[in-house]
């Protein structure tokens, strides 16, 4: 590295305790080369970062999509339960409600299962989101970009 | 040379004078009461972790309906505040400011001794959480509290003196014990054991609430008699009587029902989504209070709020939410108004059904509107210049399978929450508009009538 820098007339000079190294650029050509390397480094780094963020959002969208499906199932089941309960109330005086009661019992078992699945997923989403928030979404613009990206992935996946 | 000697003499005199003045000033000021780092020197992260857990515990503990949840958040919020208030510059304890909480009710810090306020807060919240859910808490939730408490204590104790640690833990526990004792006399103690407060004879009249589903009794009919944190939050915020009940087509009341009926029949997909979003979940929810606290947690997180700001914010919201439910419930059982679904099925369309299930308590006014009205006022005071303008995304429901929602104003957020109950077919318009008025008045009282510290970080 040092030799490569010297080749382009970039020298290191000791400079006291506070600034141990000072770079002296001896030619305009060297300055241009240094700038090119710097820009390339920044570009590669930001691409890597973007790729990592994209893959994180994609992973998150997969989990979120599953949560959305479970949510739809919960609301659907809740509707079935309340409509069945309405039927039981209406039929209490006029007819046999045994089958409806059996139906409700089954739905309550399904509800328990859905709750366990949803809760586990909710915990996992919370952890993932906390990491995304603290690592990537450090300002409002990044949040807006994240929202847009997540929305578009969820729409493409048919979850939204 | 001559000039430089003279300059040296002048400089020396100035330094000497400054030193003299400084030492005089020191003598005039009384010794500080407590030797400790300020509350704002600690992160608020651990407290936010507890309030996040509180949502899970509220969701999964039997008997915790909206009033019971608001009370649990309420007392835990003020417990945490009292555990750290001595480390906040210019802050005053809530004792002497809250209804029935006197100065002698709370333990005092020892003068001249050092405390770690984050450790006090950790001990106080964990202890109070166990107490508020005591008889129904599951072993899993109990273990969750133990685990967070131990993990926090371990990290907060690093480099801290053992005496300071035990003194701070003890102070936190003493605060929790005292606030819990205070809570037992408010009328809601262990209400989760009997949330329907039976026997409750149902008033019978055409305008009266009737069961709308499996629950044959309304939730917590005596909740309105509980002691609020601020008396004015109940005495001065009661709504005027609802529009006169009538079954005559063309009457004002009939129109209220008809408006809602028409709305539900023509809801857009977005309006259905809004209904479900603010209803949280059909089975297990940490209730509207939990949702509002989750939003607050996110805002504090985004602002990287210290223990100081986190504690003040939660305490304000805690008082507002607790009192909003007491005031709202007082009105609900005073007017005992029939739900729109019952009215519409009887007088307009027997086949009508709401977007989601109707909760088992009277219509007027809406609980969502009261609590969000109060909560939004607290948020406006904490995060805006009073205009309510604040751009944010509510991510709190992502974990339950809802897309995040964007808001640019807290008033707009409260309006949407209130409106969601109209779209859902759960409330008449008047329940929501007057519910918001009740809540906003409560939020304003909490902001203005309590001596909160200024310039919090």
């Amino acid at each position: 590295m040092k030799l490569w820098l010297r080749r382009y007339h970039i020298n290191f000079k000791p400079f006291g305790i506070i600034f141990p190294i000072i770079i002296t650029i001896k030619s305009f050509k060297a300055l241009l080369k240094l700038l090119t390397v710097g820009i390339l480094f920044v570009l590669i780094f930001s691409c890597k970062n973007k790729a990592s963020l994209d893959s994180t959002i994609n992973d998150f969208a997969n989990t979120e999509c599953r949560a959305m499906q479970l949510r739809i199932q919960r609301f659907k089941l809740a509707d079935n339960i309340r409509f069945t309960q309405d039927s039981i109330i209406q039929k209490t005086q006029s007819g046999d409600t045994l089958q409806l009661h059996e139906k409700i019992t089954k739905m309550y078992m399904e509800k328990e299962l859905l709750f366990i699945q949803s809760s586990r997923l909710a915990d996992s989403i919370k952890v993932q989101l906390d990491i995304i928030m603290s690592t990537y979404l450090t300002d409002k613009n990044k949040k807006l970009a994240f929202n847009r990206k997540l929305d578009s992935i969820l729409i493409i996946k048919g979850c939204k | 040379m001559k000039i430089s000697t003279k300059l040296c003499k002048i400089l020396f005199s100035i330094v000497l004078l400054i030193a003299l003045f400084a030492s005089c000033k020191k003598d005039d000021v009384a010794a500080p009461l407590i030797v400790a780092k300020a509350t704002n020197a600690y992160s608020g992260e651990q407290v936010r972790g507890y309030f996040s857990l509180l949502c899970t515990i509220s969701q999964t503990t039997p008997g915790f309906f909206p009033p019971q949840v608001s009370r649990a958040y309420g007392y835990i919020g003020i417990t945490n505040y009292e555990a750290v208030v001595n480390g906040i510059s210019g802050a005053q304890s809530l004792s002497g400011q809250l209804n029935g909480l006197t100065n002698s009710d709370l333990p005092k810090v020892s003068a001249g001794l050092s405390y770690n306020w984050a450790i006090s807060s950790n001990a106080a919240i964990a202890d109070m959480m166990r107490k508020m859910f005591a008889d129904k808490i599951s072993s899993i939730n109990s273990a969750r509290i133990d685990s967070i408490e131990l993990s926090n204590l371990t990290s907060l104790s690093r480099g801290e003196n053992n005496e300071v640690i035990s003194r701070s833990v003890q102070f936190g526990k003493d605060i929790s014990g005292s606030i819990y004792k205070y809570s037992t006399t408010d009328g809601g103690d262990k209400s989760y054991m009997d949330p329907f407060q039976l026997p409750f004879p149902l008033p019978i009249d055409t305008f009266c609430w009737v069961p709308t589903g499996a629950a044959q009794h309304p939730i917590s009919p005596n909740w309105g008699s509980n002691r609020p944190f601020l008396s004015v939050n109940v005495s001065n915020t009661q709504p005027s009587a609802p529009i006169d009940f009538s079954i005559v087509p063309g009457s004002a009341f009939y129109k209220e029902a008809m408006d809602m009926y028409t709305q539900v029949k023509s809801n857009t997909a977005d309006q259905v989504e809004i209904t479900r979003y603010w209803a949280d979940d059909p089975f297990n929810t940490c209730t509207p209070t939990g949702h509002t606290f989750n939003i607050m947690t996110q805002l504090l997180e985004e602002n990287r709020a210290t223990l100081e700001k986190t504690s003040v914010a939660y305490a304000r919201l805690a008082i507002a939410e607790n009192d909003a439910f007491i005031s709202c419930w007082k009105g609900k059982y005073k007017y005992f108004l029939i739900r729109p679904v019952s009215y519409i099925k009887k007088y307009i369309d027997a086949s009508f059904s709401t977007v989601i299930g109707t909760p088992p308590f009277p219509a007027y006014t809406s609980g969502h509107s009261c609590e969000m009205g109060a909560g939004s006022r607290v948020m406006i005071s904490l995060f805006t210049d009073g205009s309510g303008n604040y751009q944010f995304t509510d991510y709190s429901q992502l974990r339950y399978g809802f897309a995040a929602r964007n808001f640019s104003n807290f008033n707009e957020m409260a309006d949407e929450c209130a409106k969601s109950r109209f779209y859902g077919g759960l409330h008449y318009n008047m329940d929501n508009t007057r519910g918001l008025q009740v809540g906003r008045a409560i939020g304003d009282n909490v902001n203005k009538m309590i001596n909160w510290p200024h310039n919090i970080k």
Side-chain angles (χ1 to χ4, degrees), chain B residues 53 80 98 167 175 224 245 259 263 280 327 367 394 417 442-443:
Chain B
L53 175 61
N80 175 56
L98 297 188
R167 189 182 306 123
I175 286 286
F245 180 83
D259 284 350
Q263 175 64 51
D280 297 338
S327 179
D394 176 11
C417 175
I442 290 169

Side-chain angles (χ1 to χ4, degrees), chain B residues 4-315:
Chain B
S4 107
T5 316
K6 207 175 175 184
L7 193 70
C8 275
K9 276 182 182 172
I10 292 167
L11 274 173
F12 181 73
S13 309
I14 291 170
V15 170
L16 203 68
L17 274 169
I18 290 171
L20 273 170
F21 275 121
S23 63
C24 282
K25 219 176 174 185
K26 254 185 194 169
D27 282 344
D28 292 344
V29 178
L33 181 64
I34 313 138
V35 190
K37 273 203 289 185
T39 302
N40 63 29
Y42 303 97
S43 161
E45 205 175 336
Q46 52 149 6
V47 181
R48 298 195 285 272
Y50 274 119
F51 275 87
S52 195
L53 175 61
L54 193 46
C55 176
T56 306
I57 298 179
S58 304
Q59 270 176 337
T60 49
T61 310
F64 276 81
F65 291 100
Q68 286 76 17
V69 172
S70 72
R71 181 176 179 274
Y73 273 88
Y75 281 100
I76 292 166
I78 63 163
T79 299
N80 175 56
Y81 181 78
E82 286 302 322
V84 304
V85 69
N86 288 288
I88 302 176
S89 168
Q92 192 186 330
S93 163
L94 294 170
S95 62
Q97 300 197 78
L98 297 188
N99 198 6
L101 185 67
T102 60
N103 228 344
S104 58
D105 288 337
L106 297 181
K108 304 284 176 289
V109 288
S110 306
L113 293 179
S114 184
Y115 289 82
N116 180 314
W117 304 120
I119 290 178
S120 296
S121 151
N122 184 47
I125 302 184
D127 201 45
M128 195 60 171
M129 276 172 87
R130 290 186 194 103
K131 287 184 164 82
M132 293 313 283
F133 295 87
D135 293 346
K136 290 277 184 178
I137 195 163
S138 67
S139 52
I140 295 172
N141 285 335
S142 239
R144 281 173 167 150
I145 299 175
D146 295 347
S147 160
I148 290 194
E149 184 185 25
L150 184 63
S151 151
N152 285 341
L153 183 62
T154 308
S155 61
L156 292 167
S157 298
R158 270 181 213 122
E160 192 61 272
N161 174 305
N162 279 342
E163 277 181 28
V164 174
I165 296 168
S166 55
R167 189 182 306 123
S168 306
V169 168
Q170 193 55 50
F171 180 67
K173 285 185 177 171
D174 289 348
I175 286 286
S176 156
S178 305
I179 300 278
Y180 180 69
K181 197 177 163 201
Y182 164 65
S183 80
T184 58
T185 56
D186 76 341
D189 184 35
K190 296 198 174 170
S191 54
Y192 55 87
M193 302 298 282
D194 176 26
F196 290 91
Q197 297 178 319
L198 297 175
F200 174 71
L202 284 179
I204 297 167
D205 208 322
T206 45
F207 70 86
C208 284
W209 178 87
V210 287
T212 53
Q216 294 300 298
H217 297 278
I219 290 172
S220 307
N222 306 321
W223 200 262
S225 310
N226 284 7
R227 179 188 62 210
F229 287 129
L230 292 178
S231 297
V232 288
N233 278 344
V234 176
S235 59
N236 288 2
T237 61
Q238 285 305 295
S240 53
I243 293 169
D244 287 341
F245 180 83
S246 170
I247 58 168
V248 178
S251 66
F253 194 92
Y254 191 92
K255 191 179 172 298
E256 280 282 305
M258 203 58 201
D259 284 350
M260 202 212 70
Y261 176 75
T262 314
Q263 175 64 51
V264 174
K265 289 281 175 191
S266 58
N267 267 341
T268 62
D270 193 40
Q271 285 165 337
V272 170
E273 185 68 7
I274 288 171
T275 301
R276 291 183 174 149
Y277 185 82
W278 289 106
D280 297 338
D281 195 87
F283 301 127
N284 296 85
T285 153
C286 54
T287 79
T289 293
H291 189 163
T292 306
F293 264 89
N294 285 344
I295 294 172
M296 177 66 92
T297 299
Q298 190 198 305
L299 298 174
L300 292 168
E301 205 75 59
E302 286 174 0
N303 284 279
R304 303 197 192 289
T306 66
L307 179 59
E308 179 180 84
K309 184 153 186 172
T310 302
S311 302
V312 173
Y314 281 143

Side-chain angles (χ1 to χ4, degrees), chain A residues 69-155:
Chain A
Q69 288 163 351
L70 283 176
R71 193 257 290 185
I72 291 166
Q73 284 180 46
R74 287 199 304 275
F75 274 96
K76 197 176 165 191
L77 181 63
D79 282 344
N80 286 341
I81 290 176
R82 77 182 158 112
F83 295 141
T84 310
Q85 277 165 344
D86 285 350
S87 305
I88 290 174
I89 292 164
Q90 279 166 8
K91 282 191 177 178
T92 303
Q93 289 161 345
S94 58
D96 184 11
T97 58
L98 189 66
Q99 277 189 329
L100 289 174
H101 277 291
E102 279 173 1
K103 197 179 161 189
I104 287 257
T105 309
K106 275 183 191 166
M107 285 193 279
Y108 272 111
M109 283 160 69
E110 197 184 331
K111 176 188 151 184
E112 284 305 307
L113 200 67
L114 260 179
F115 172 67
I116 294 167
Q117 287 177 321
S118 307
S119 300
R120 283 183 187 157
L121 204 60
D123 289 345
S124 153
I125 289 174
K126 191 186 175 303
V127 172
Q128 281 186 56
L129 191 64
D130 284 349
I131 294 168
I132 292 173
M133 288 275 178
S134 56
T135 316
Y136 301 107
L137 310 185
T138 44
D139 64 53
K140 280 186 179 166
N141 288 334
K142 284 179 184 164
K143 269 184 195 145
L144 289 176
F146 168 79
N147 294 349
R148 277 194 293 270
K149 183 86 186 168
L150 181 64
D151 264 2
S152 66
I153 298 175
L154 288 172
I155 289 167

